[in-house]
Amino acid sequence: MTSVRRPKADVQRFYQKAKAYYASLGVNTDHAISETLKMPLSLHCWQADDVRGFEVRDVTVDGGGILATGQYPGRARNGDEMRADLAMVLRLAPGTHRINLHAIYAETDGRKVERDVLTPAHFSRWIAWARERGIGIDFNTSFFAHPLANDGLTLSHPDRKVREFWIRHGVACRRIATAMGRALKSPCILNHWLPDGRKDSPADRWSPRRRLMDSLDRLLAPCEGVNTRWCRDAVEGKLFGIGSEDYVVGSTEFYGSYALTRGIILCLDMGHFHPTETIHDKLSAYLQFHRSLLLHLSRPIRWDSDHVVLFNDDLRSVFQELARGDALSRVMLATDYFDASINRVCAYVIGARAVRKALLSALLEPVDLLKRLEEHGQGAAKLAWIEEVKSGPFHAVWDELCRRAGVPVGGDWIEQARRYEEQVLLKRT
Ligand code: RNT
Ligand code: ZN
């Protein structure tokens, strides 16, 4: 594979021209770069191993609506391999990052530890690793791939014992999230997504929702070892999943009201809506009422909600909305996808760089100009400028951003990732 290296002096020279272009539209590129780099992006750990986790299991379990497809070699098989892969990603993707873990990534030294008795100690290696790097950790309850989730119901299960187990799991995770946040001095977002739903024609859509509400209220009740200063709970809805095509208990409507009335965070996943439905128009609606939102950056394709994130219109629209509404400080960003058919480290870097590009391009928009034109009835001029800016010298600012962040400029990262594959990933057999 070839790599066309661009001399640093060129990057800076092209940048000066681009800077003048954007300045003529009233946009400060230096500011856009520093704001883009500052914004934390939480990298999901589960792309590295196809959402398998490190649990010791002696029974077969249902994926719970989560299905990674593909057999590409190099999957991370344990915490050390996963941390090595993530460290590589952090060298190739610019900007501030956090790491987003799931409860199934506990490290129990070969012992079987049930999910309702997990403790912060099972995450001590992750915490030490993050502390060394000065990055924060976010966390997720794992309500899937478990014998007690095989019915497709967890917190909304009709059997009280099953619900109790999952409530205890939730509480254990809140203690862990509290410990993570406190140890790293950075609040840990604890996201709750559960697969509960029905494949076909539910006769009762009501009772499971009632039970889910009650279970969540108990899971979120104040309790010893949980401090909401460090543990910030979020709930994530979905339209449908594998095995829950007709009905999902925790729909977006359910959680929108739940989060608002309980003062917790609503999570919007870009892949969790109707195939032609996008989330950008929802932001200015929810954020009139909600204080903040967690965004799962993903890419739906037909039945799948979890393709690698690309710098496409859907992603750009999300960041345009946030930048136009001055709302970047009111959202938390987390990637969420898994593709087992390609190099997994590259999957991360492609997505993380795409997010950062979308952020930068939104911050380079001449928002004041566009709003002014719109306000004065100059609809065509507004549209024309939106189109003009699309072919502006964006790449020169992007390259300069990468240079300033100390990550490879342009496609140089691809060669570095290839070498990592050759030297590390392909040796995992
Ligand atoms: C599933 C949700 C959820 C998961 C992760 C593994 O549809 O998007 O966020 O992807 O928790
Ligand atoms: Zn998600």
Side-chain angles (χ1 to χ4, degrees), residues 145-259:
H146 188 279
L148 289 182
N150 277 351
D151 289 346
L153 297 169
T154 62
L155 287 178
S156 72
H157 201 287
D159 183 343
R160 194 175 54 84
K161 286 214 190 74
V162 176
R163 295 201 301 279
E164 298 287 340
F165 172 82
W166 290 114
I167 292 169
R168 286 196 304 276
H169 172 59
V171 172
C173 287
R174 295 186 82 212
R175 294 201 175 106
I176 295 165
T178 299
M180 287 169 165
R182 189 178 275 135
L184 300 169
K185 297 194 177 53
S186 170
C188 171
I189 309 294
L190 174 62
N191 185 48
H192 306 282
W193 169 77
L194 35 120
D196 298 35
R198 299 250 185 238
K199 185 185 180 77
D200 206 1
S201 308
D204 182 5
R205 293 174 185 267
W206 296 75
S207 312
R209 287 195 168 130
R210 172 88 237 166
R211 288 192 294 262
L212 175 56
M213 185 170 75
D214 290 343
S215 294
L216 282 172
D217 282 348
R218 294 191 42 212
L219 190 161
L220 294 170
C223 98
E224 202 200 308
V226 175
N227 183 334
T228 52
R229 170 161 181 221
W230 301 116
C231 167
R232 305 252 166 96
D233 295 276
V235 281
E236 177 182 8
K238 193 167 179 170
L239 177 68
F240 75 92
I242 307 167
S244 61
E245 287 81 359
D246 198 328
Y247 167 68
V248 169
V249 183
S251 57
T252 307
E253 292 76 8
F254 177 92
Y255 284 132
S257 300
Y258 187 82

Side-chain angles (χ1 to χ4, degrees), residues 46 51 65-66 102 140-141 144 191 193 236-238 240 267 269 272 296 305-306 336-338:
W46 49 93
V51 212
I66 297 207
H102 241 283
N140 296 261
T141 38
F144 51 87
N191 185 48
W193 169 77
E236 177 182 8
K238 193 167 179 170
F240 75 92
C267 170
D269 182 309
H272 286 190
H296 269 189
S305 59
D306 301 286
D336 180 15
Y337 53 80
F338 27 94

